[in-house]
Amino acid sequence: METAVKDKPFQSSDFHRTYARPEVRMPAKLHHPNVEQAGAHDQFSMERKHPVFFVDLPTVALSMTIGGLLPGQVTNQHRHTYETVIYVIEGEGYTQIEDRIVEWKAGDAIYIPIWAWHNHGNRSATVGARYIACENAPLLQNLGVALREERGRDL
């Protein structure tokens, strides 16, 4: 089986000659202990107006964050070119996705489609909500096609 050489990479006409040969590329970092103890990501938390904790691992295709909504908090509407799956750890609230309202509580999962306007709200006036968000943003960032837009702001 043929492989590309550095000075002559495969081209589209060579597709029939390429074979997947996965190899392990072991990163130095495989563990991020005490994610929330490391602190919230300042810039992203400020933009989103709620605390966001990044899981700092060397992923190139997906990301995971822990987000929190303060009692009664509603986030800004935003959209992005990557998919999001949210798992609610605690609390109850809603996510508005385009013109649909999705009610959620601890144990529920929510899907945010690509480029859909959405925002999140905490229904409780006294108890916070927490969730884990998984996104394929790094994959699109590495391809140069990840976009994120806040409602009312230019791209």
Side-chain angles (χ1 to χ4, degrees):
M1 288 180 220
E2 298 179 53
T3 59
V5 291
K6 279 190 172 186
D7 58 344
K8 187 175 184 292
F10 282 120
Q11 297 178 356
S12 60
S13 61
D14 298 323
F15 186 77
H16 67 286
R17 298 186 316 169
T18 60
Y19 302 93
R21 287 286 175 237
E23 63 182 59
V24 174
R25 294 182 183 171
M26 189 63 69
K29 185 175 186 176
L30 295 174
H31 177 228
H32 181 178
N34 299 311
V35 172
E36 292 184 76
Q37 300 302 318
H41 187 278
D42 292 336
Q43 180 182 351
F44 201 68
S45 295
M46 185 176 67
E47 287 177 6
R48 295 295 303 276
K49 297 190 170 92
H50 66 90
V52 177
F53 302 86
F54 281 84
V55 176
D56 183 19
L57 293 171
T59 61
V60 295
L62 58 93
S63 67
M64 180 185 292
T65 58
I66 299 172
L69 295 170
L70 301 172
Q73 184 174 25
V74 177
T75 66
N76 293 336
Q77 277 201 328
H78 60 282
R79 63 184 179 174
H80 34 73
T81 55
Y82 40 90
E83 294 178 294
T84 303
V85 174
I86 294 173
Y87 177 77
V88 181
I89 301 169
E90 60 188 33
E92 58 184 73
Y94 67 92
T95 297
Q96 180 175 351
I97 305 168
E98 293 287 332
D99 60 351
R100 294 171 59 182
I101 302 289
V102 177
E103 299 286 340
W104 47 255
K105 64 184 181 314
D108 291 350
I110 303 107
Y111 173 70
I112 310 295
I114 295 167
W115 208 237
W117 285 109
H118 62 282
N119 67 317
H120 315 287
N122 184 346
R123 290 276 188 221
S124 175
T126 59
V127 178
R130 291 180 50 228
Y131 60 86
I132 296 171
C134 296
E135 300 172 323
N136 63 333
L139 174 65
L140 298 182
Q141 288 170 311
N142 284 312
L143 293 172
V145 294
L147 293 175
R148 178 184 167 81
E149 181 181 24
E150 298 282 330
R151 176 76 83 185
R153 265 205 244 166
D154 293 330
L155 277 178

